[in-house]
Amino acid sequence: MAGIRRCMLFSFLLFYVTECNSRLKKYNARPAVLATSGSPWPLPRNMTTTQVQYQVDADNFKFMLNTGTPSCDIIVKAFARYKVIAFGPRSETLKFRPNFRRRPNKENTVNQLTVRYVQPCDQYLSLESDESYTLVVTGNTASLTANEVWGALRGLETFSQLILPQGSGMYVINNTVIHDAPRFKHRGVLLDGSRHFLSVLKLKENLEAMAQNKFNVFHWHIVDDQAFPYDSIKFPNMSKLGAYDSNHIYSQADIKDVIEFARLRGIRVVPEFDSPGHTQSWGSSISNLLTKCYKNGSLDGSYGPVNPAEESSYNFLKSFFGEVADVFPDHYIHLGGDEVDFSCWESNPEIMKFMQSMGFGKDYAKLEEFYMQKLLNIISGYRKGYLIWQEVIDNGAKVAADTVVEVWKGGYIDELAKVTSLGYKTLLSSCWYLDYISYGSDWRNYYGCDPQNFNGTSAQKALVIGGETCLWGEYVDDTNVISRLWPRASAIAERLWSDESVNSVSAAEGRMEEHRCRMVRRGFDAQPMNGPGFCPVEFP
Ligand SMILES: *[C@@H]1O[C@H](CO)[C@@H](O)[C@H](O)[C@H]1NC(C)=O
Ligand SMILES: *[C@@H]1O[C@H](CO)[C@@H](O)[C@H](O)[C@H]1NC(C)=O
Ligand SMILES: *[C@@H]1O[C@H](CO)[C@@H](O)[C@H](O)[C@H]1NC(C)=O
Ligand SMILES: *[C@@H]1O[C@H](CO)[C@@H](O)[C@H](O)[C@H]1NC(C)=O
Ligand SMILES: *[C@@H]1O[C@H](CO)[C@@H](O)[C@H](O)[C@H]1NC(C)=O
């Protein structure tokens, strides 16, 4: 109805005639799911909107820092970014904008967002950061308040989602009051730079999409068996011999670039250097690091996991992880520890001898624990925390108190109960492996998986600090990473941000439809999620 009214109002202008005719025509096709209009994703904790609607003056709109609020590059750059995110790139806007525009009625116009927060800016987001904020849009004043700059970033995203393009350079926003804070502190996306290289450009595009979905951790699974694209300062041969080729390497400058891009958006970069398994690509440059495998009593030319019986292995790890601890500013490093294949260790007489001398018998899980313990001690020596895959705990390693255990296997409901009963901070990713694809609207399954849905005390539940969605790279590269991840990952974004009670798929699907089209409008190749439908073309 609103569209038709506007058309009649403007029909004296030649410019509108074509558009109005098409708007007045009655089409019979209907999408499978009707999109909402002006609903943010993920849903804020407490949001009240009224039917009162204000115009937003895109041309003169200002983001203002309240006097007394400590400025920093994070907020200054966010203001510039959100002007474009909310109102579209300026050149595009001009292309479609008619010469005659209705002058905004000053009474009824929002032309400024005043932002205030209390604490001086941190340089980097951390697990302890406060992302809460309050957003109030009433009359011609809109204000955003937070404790920390990180809350201001989250509030800017929500504000930008409330602004609705009406076509012809017009925007509106409803009277709104929001009190918001995330349910979980760790809301991650894992991308795999080893199975297929992902360019810095695509990583940044993904980080931008993450920020717009309020994800706050980029788990960078940067190396694995297949390739070692990390360009080490101390061990340059690791990428020279371990990458696919010289064009598929992350230089130190690339890594700084990614970390800085993420920092400005309140996203932590947690690198993963997985060992002792998943290290085939390390072996081509670091001699004697990997276990030599035997068959029928003689060397067969293949290699297994890192050799845990050699002191030289630990000397290398100490040196290498010292570099990693310097290069990546986040407190946490992901150390992997998953899927260790024992068969090569079992075949090797040197390892057998070592097992005997240590009194491990034939229990190779003990050997793995021995290795992880030494590695964990090295990392603690650098005053870093670590994340590990669940096997490290399953094998009984003693880990530091601030360790984060990532539950990724089947049977995760029992595993969550077990890991939290041991007192460790825990992340869930088992139900969010987006590299598994299937026909249909699979976001509904991801949406239904809750990381606190296990039998445990409230103290155990409180140890669940969030989760991660994993997009492993066997069948993913620059060509499809965005469309495969988005907006499927958005389902998980809402599960990790919004209140536990926000769990109805039927209540979410219309907002998901709107969110997907909003991502498309903002330039992401986000795939359709709800069956047949369309995104309306909204002229900026
Ligand atoms: C939501 O916010 C309103 C004030 O805007 C407050 O009265 C209400 O108690 C809040 N509800 C919850 C569940 O926090
Ligand atoms: C915003 O206001 C419009 C116009 O009054 C109304 O139709 C719409 O339902 C409101 N939207 C929300 C989310 O309250
Ligand atoms: C790096 O690899 C090259 C070629 O295999 C070799 O000649 C050189 O000694 C290696 N450098 C180091 C530091 O291992
Ligand atoms: C191992 O040796 C036995 C007997 O010497 C032989 O039958 C078998 O084929 C060998 N296996 C492999 C994998 O080489
Ligand atoms: C929790 O325990 C109850 C009683 O043993 C059981 O019925 C229920 O299925 C369990 N829930 C989960 C999520 O494991």
Side-chain angles (χ1 to χ4, degrees):
M1 282 311 287
I4 293 169
R5 263 204 316 273
R6 227 184 12 261
C7 273
M8 295 196 297
L9 196 63
F10 286 118
S11 56
F12 66 95
L13 289 175
L14 198 60
F15 177 87
Y16 286 95
V17 169
T18 329
E19 189 194 354
C20 288
N21 282 346
S22 74
R23 284 200 186 201
L24 290 167
K25 200 185 286 175
K26 185 166 164 29
Y27 293 98
N28 289 315
R30 289 288 174 269
V33 169
L34 280 174
T36 54
S37 179
S39 288
W41 188 286
L43 198 66
R45 178 168 292 195
N46 184 348
M47 167 164 164
T48 317
T49 44
T50 75
Q51 309 264 305
V52 177
Q53 214 168 49
Y54 312 109
Q55 292 177 50
V56 182
D57 183 358
D59 285 337
N60 300 305
F61 193 85
K62 282 196 180 63
F63 292 100
M64 296 280 290
L65 207 56
N66 193 59
T67 27
T69 292
S71 186
C72 62
D73 58 350
I74 296 168
I75 196 72
V76 170
K77 289 182 176 167
F79 285 171
R81 211 163 55 239
Y82 274 103
K83 193 125 200 221
V84 179
I85 290 171
F87 303 114
R90 186 79 191 148
S91 53
E92 290 299 306
T93 312
L94 287 173
K95 218 186 296 175
F96 293 108
R97 190 166 290 182
N99 292 327
F100 298 98
R101 288 187 53 214
R102 185 163 52 161
R103 290 179 68 87
N105 167 3
K106 286 271 185 262
E107 311 280 87
N108 243 342
T109 300
V110 174
N111 53 20
Q112 179 171 314
L113 178 72
T114 309
V115 177
R116 172 203 326 245
Y117 46 84
V118 182
Q119 305 294 334
C121 300
D122 294 323
Q123 211 189 346
Y124 293 98
L125 184 88
S126 75
L127 190 54
E128 287 76 39
S129 297
D130 182 348
E131 297 170 286
S132 64
Y133 67 91
T134 296
L135 178 63
V136 179
V137 182
T138 51
N140 48 13
T141 64
S143 70
L144 171 60
T145 51
N147 288 323
E148 300 184 7
V149 69
W150 313 117
L153 288 187
R154 304 302 173 236
L156 282 172
E157 176 55 41
T158 306
F159 180 72
S160 75
Q161 295 189 7
L162 297 175
I163 297 173
L164 279 177
Q166 299 289 286
S168 315
M170 305 299 290
Y171 297 82
V172 294
I173 191 167
N174 283 48
N175 182 305
T176 305
V177 177
I178 289 175
H179 301 285
D180 200 8
R183 178 177 168 206
F184 294 110
K185 290 253 178 208
H186 184 122
R187 305 178 305 279
V189 171
L190 176 149
L191 293 181
D192 172 358
S194 171
R195 276 54 178 262
H196 281 94
F197 186 81
L198 294 166
S199 70
V200 169
L201 202 67
K202 277 295 161 187
L203 291 179
K204 287 181 175 176
E205 186 180 347
N206 185 67
L207 286 164
E208 181 57 49
M210 284 173 64
Q212 294 184 19
N213 284 269
K214 297 189 171 72
F215 276 109
N216 68 355
V217 179
F218 171 33
H219 175 165
W220 197 354
H221 188 90
I222 191 168
V223 300
D224 207 296
D225 281 331
Q226 289 79 3
F228 196 99
Y230 171 76
D231 187 16
S232 167
I233 304 162
K234 288 186 187 165
F235 302 97
N237 268 5
M238 292 183 85
S239 59
K240 284 213 178 77
L241 305 175
Y244 284 123
D245 72 16
S246 61
N247 293 317
H248 295 88
I249 288 176
Y250 299 110
S251 70
Q252 288 292 322
D254 290 338
I255 290 160
K256 280 204 174 66
D257 196 12
V258 169
I259 292 170
E260 176 65 4
F261 192 91
R263 179 183 79 83
L264 292 169
R265 286 158 181 75
I267 297 174
R268 299 163 49 204
V269 178
V270 174
E272 179 179 353
F273 290 89
D274 190 354
S275 75
H278 291 276
T279 49
Q280 292 294 304
S281 68
W282 309 31
S284 40
S285 54
I286 311 298
S287 51
N288 296 323
L289 180 66
L290 302 184
T291 307
K292 294 186 173 75
C293 313
Y294 286 71
K295 208 165 259 168
N296 268 359
S298 54
L299 285 169
D300 75 352
S302 72
Y303 293 88
V306 171
N307 187 335
E310 287 285 352
E311 204 47 37
S312 62
S313 297
Y314 302 105
N315 293 338
F316 162 76
L317 292 169
K318 187 158 190 197
S319 176
F320 179 70
F321 278 101
E323 172 183 324
V324 170
D326 285 343
V327 167
F328 293 90
D330 197 78
H331 177 62
Y332 286 94
I333 301 173
H334 202 304
L335 297 176
D338 60 318
E339 298 183 311
V340 181
D341 175 12
F342 295 151
S343 61
C344 181
W345 281 351
E346 283 166 359
S347 78
N348 182 302
E350 183 211 352
I351 304 261
M352 262 187 267
K353 221 180 280 167
F354 183 76
M355 292 281 288
Q356 275 161 16
S357 73
M358 298 299 293
F360 293 160
K362 292 218 175 303
D363 188 352
Y364 286 86
K366 284 218 171 82
L367 182 60
E368 183 185 350
E369 183 203 332
F370 170 85
Y371 169 87
M372 284 312 292
Q373 200 66 67
K374 291 194 73 146
L375 176 58
L376 301 181
N377 293 345
I378 288 170
I379 305 302
S380 295
Y382 292 120
R383 302 187 178 200
K384 287 279 186 171
Y386 34 79
L387 290 94
I388 44 180
W389 298 109
Q390 68 179 72
E391 285 98 318
V392 179
I393 293 302
D394 294 345
N395 289 331
K398 288 173 199 60
V399 299
D402 66 348
T403 301
V404 177
V405 180
E406 186 157 9
V407 171
W408 71 277
K409 290 179 150 188
Y412 61 89
I413 292 176
D414 292 339
E415 183 75 6
L416 287 168
K418 175 182 139 187
V419 174
T420 53
S421 76
L422 294 169
Y424 298 120
K425 292 196 182 79
T426 307
L427 290 176
L428 177 63
S429 58
S430 305
C431 46
W432 296 323
Y433 269 40
L434 299 196
D435 49 313
Y436 288 100
I437 50 174
S438 58
Y439 182 79
S441 208
D442 58 0
W443 71 271
R444 290 152 201 266
N445 304 331
Y446 309 135
Y447 198 76
C449 179
D450 194 294
Q452 286 176 325
N453 181 25
F454 62 91
N455 279 326
T457 63
S458 55
Q460 278 175 271
K461 303 278 170 99
L463 284 166
V464 179
I465 58 165
E468 294 191 336
T469 176
C470 302
L471 189 64
W472 297 101
E474 285 84 354
Y475 299 93
V476 174
D477 69 6
D478 271 15
T479 62
N480 63 351
V481 61
I482 296 294
S483 60
R484 186 154 293 187
L485 194 54
W486 304 103
R488 292 162 81 219
S490 304
I492 298 133
E494 179 150 297
R495 178 59 44 249
L496 293 173
W497 178 280
S498 302
D499 193 74
E500 189 175 2
S501 62
V502 180
N503 59 9
S504 156
V505 164
S506 59
E509 63 182 11
R511 283 189 305 108
M512 173 58 93
E513 188 73 9
E514 180 185 8
H515 184 59
R516 183 253 161 173
C517 287
R518 178 165 48 224
M519 289 191 74
V520 170
R521 188 177 80 227
R522 291 175 172 193
F524 299 101
D525 284 337
Q527 67 175 6
M529 292 289 285
N530 286 321
F534 75 112
C535 288
V537 175
E538 285 154 336
F539 293 105

